[in-house]
Amino acid sequence: MQSPYQDNKSKAEHAWRLNSFIDVLADVIVHGVFRKKRPSLHFDISQADLQSLLDASQQELQELKAQREICRKQYVLRKRILLVALPLLLLGLPFIGLGAISLMFIAFVLGGCWMVSASLPYRKYFDQQFLPALLARLPNYEYMRNGYIPVTELKSSGIIPDHVDSLTRQEDYLHRWHDDVYCELVECEFKEYRRDKNGVKESPVFKGVISRLTMPNRISKRIVMQANWGKLLSLLQKKPMDKSFGYKLDEPRLAKKYDFYCEDKTYLESTISTAFQAKLADFIDKLDVAAPEFSFYENYALLLLHRPQNFLSAPALNEPLDQQKLLTELLQEIQMMNEFESLALEVWPI
C-alpha cells in the first residue's frame, strides 16, 4: 500500500542527498573535530541473539564492507589532496591581496564539502540496501521501508506537536505481534510552515522515532508524561491538557524533569505507582535522548524520541567498521521496544 507520508521519487532523492550531506558534515565537525561522544542506548542484549544475527548477516556485512572501502579510499584521497592544497593556498595569500581571507574561507568550505561528499554513495547503500536487508533478518519482526503509523491515530495522545499533515514523512517501519500486543516503530518527521523575512518555509518541529503499542483494551483515563522546559520556557510550551491537571510525582529523577498530566489525580497516583515510577526512570536512563515523551491513551501506549539522525546510521568512514557494535545498536533498539512493552503492561488493565 502506498504511504501518504513519503515524497515522490525525485524529491525524496534530493531530500535524502541534502539531509545525508548535512548529517555527515555535522558528524565530522561534532564528533571528529570536537570529539563529542555520540549518544547511545544502554539496554542489555542477549549475546546469543547478537551472535545469531552476526552469523546470519555475514553476506550483507561483507557487501557493506566492500562498498565502504571504495568510498573510504576516495575520502582519504580527497583528504590528502586538501592537506596539500590548502597550505599552498595559505602560502600564496600575501600575493592575492585584500580578498585573501574570504578566498581562503571559501576554499576551506568547498574543500570540506568535496571531501565529505565522498561518503554519500556509501551512505546511500547503507540506507537503501544494507539496512532493509539487515532488518529483514530480525526474528519476529517485519520491516517495511515505507510503512507508517496513521497520524490521525496519534493526535489524541497529546504529545504530537502542531504540524502540517501533508509535510509529514515516515520511513523504516518495524512491526510485530507479541501475544495480544501490536508493536510498531517508525522514523518520523513533522513540519510546519513558518514565515520569516524571506517568505514562508518548511520548518521541522519533530524529527526522531515513534514507538507505539496497540493494547487489547482501553485505558480508563489518558496519562501523559511531558518534559518540563523550565519556568521561563514553559510559558511557550504546548501542554497536553489544562495545566491544572499537571502534577509532579514522587520519584526524584522524574520530578526534576517531567510533568505528568491526567484529569483524575487519584487515578494517576494509583496507576503510576511508586514502584512503576522507579522502573520508568530506569528505562529513561537507558535511552539516548534527553527528553522522551510518553502517552497512555485509548488503547495505545506512545513513546516519542527526539533524534537528529536515523535510528541506525552508517558508521563514519574515518572510523573502523565494528560489526558487533553495529548489530548491538540494532538489537538495543529492539530491546528498547521490549522494555517499553513491559512497562505498558504494568499500567494496562489486561
Side-chain angles (χ1 to χ4, degrees), residues 170-215:
Q170 295 187 33
E171 64 179 7
D172 292 333
Y173 172 82
L174 283 171
H175 64 119
R176 71 161 184 177
W177 277 102
H178 183 229
D179 295 331
D180 293 327
V181 179
Y182 185 54
C183 310
E184 299 168 279
L185 182 143
V186 68
E187 285 186 357
C188 183
E189 183 175 28
F190 295 118
K191 294 181 180 180
E192 65 178 3
Y193 289 116
R194 289 181 179 170
R195 183 179 296 275
D196 60 19
K197 62 181 181 180
N198 297 317
V200 177
K201 294 183 179 180
E202 297 178 10
S203 178
V205 292
F206 171 84
K207 179 177 173 60
V209 169
I210 293 176
S211 180
R212 184 178 74 164
L213 306 174
T214 303
M215 314 301 281

Side-chain angles (χ1 to χ4, degrees), residues 77-299:
L77 176 61
R78 294 182 185 188
K79 183 178 180 180
R80 288 174 177 172
I81 291 174
L82 290 175
L83 288 175
V84 173
L86 291 179
L88 291 177
L89 180 60
L90 186 62
L91 291 174
L93 289 182
F95 306 100
I96 297 175
L98 295 177
I101 297 178
S102 298
L103 180 62
M104 186 65 185
F105 176 77
I106 293 171
F108 179 81
V109 171
L110 292 179
C113 293
W114 179 61
M115 179 183 72
V116 166
S117 65
S119 68
L120 291 185
Y122 157 64
R123 288 181 64 90
K124 185 174 184 179
Y125 179 84
F126 185 94
D127 289 346
Q128 300 183 13
Q129 296 187 53
F130 171 75
L131 187 56
L134 179 63
L135 294 175
R137 292 193 176 277
L138 288 174
N140 305 319
Y141 279 89
E142 183 180 352
Y143 168 78
M144 300 169 62
R145 178 161 181 78
N146 295 317
Y148 62 93
I149 300 174
V151 175
T152 53
E153 297 175 4
L154 303 177
K155 290 183 177 180
S156 56
S157 68
I159 58 175
I160 300 299
D162 292 335
H163 64 280
V164 177
D165 282 353
S166 62
L167 300 180
T168 298
R169 296 293 171 261
Q170 295 187 33
E171 64 179 7
D172 292 333
Y173 172 82
L174 283 171
H175 64 119
R176 71 161 184 177
W177 277 102
H178 183 229
D179 295 331
D180 293 327
V181 179
Y182 185 54
C183 310
E184 299 168 279
L185 182 143
V186 68
E187 285 186 357
C188 183
E189 183 175 28
F190 295 118
K191 294 181 180 180
E192 65 178 3
Y193 289 116
R194 289 181 179 170
R195 183 179 296 275
D196 60 19
K197 62 181 181 180
N198 297 317
V200 177
K201 294 183 179 180
E202 297 178 10
S203 178
V205 292
F206 171 84
K207 179 177 173 60
V209 169
I210 293 176
S211 180
R212 184 178 74 164
L213 306 174
T214 303
M215 314 301 281
N217 47 33
R218 299 172 67 92
I219 198 167
S220 299
K221 302 285 185 179
R222 182 176 61 161
I223 297 174
V224 177
M225 189 196 83
Q226 184 182 58
N228 191 318
W229 290 4
K231 291 183 178 180
L232 294 178
L233 292 178
S234 64
L235 298 175
L236 304 175
Q237 188 178 19
K238 179 185 175 183
K239 306 297 190 295
M241 57 185 76
D242 190 271
K243 63 180 182 180
S244 63
F245 297 122
Y247 305 98
K248 293 288 186 183
L249 297 187
D250 297 331
E251 167 60 47
R253 289 173 291 172
L254 298 180
K256 184 178 180 180
K257 295 183 179 180
Y258 301 97
D259 294 319
F260 284 78
Y261 290 84
C262 184
E263 294 179 351
D264 186 332
K265 184 179 181 181
T266 301
Y267 178 79
L268 172 67
E269 292 176 341
S270 63
T271 304
I272 308 298
S273 65
T274 302
F276 178 84
Q277 291 175 43
K279 292 179 182 179
L280 180 59
D282 289 341
F283 177 80
I284 292 172
D285 288 343
K286 298 175 186 178
L287 296 174
D288 58 346
V289 299
E293 294 183 276
F294 297 82
S295 180
F296 302 136
Y297 68 106
E298 298 172 1
N299 61 321

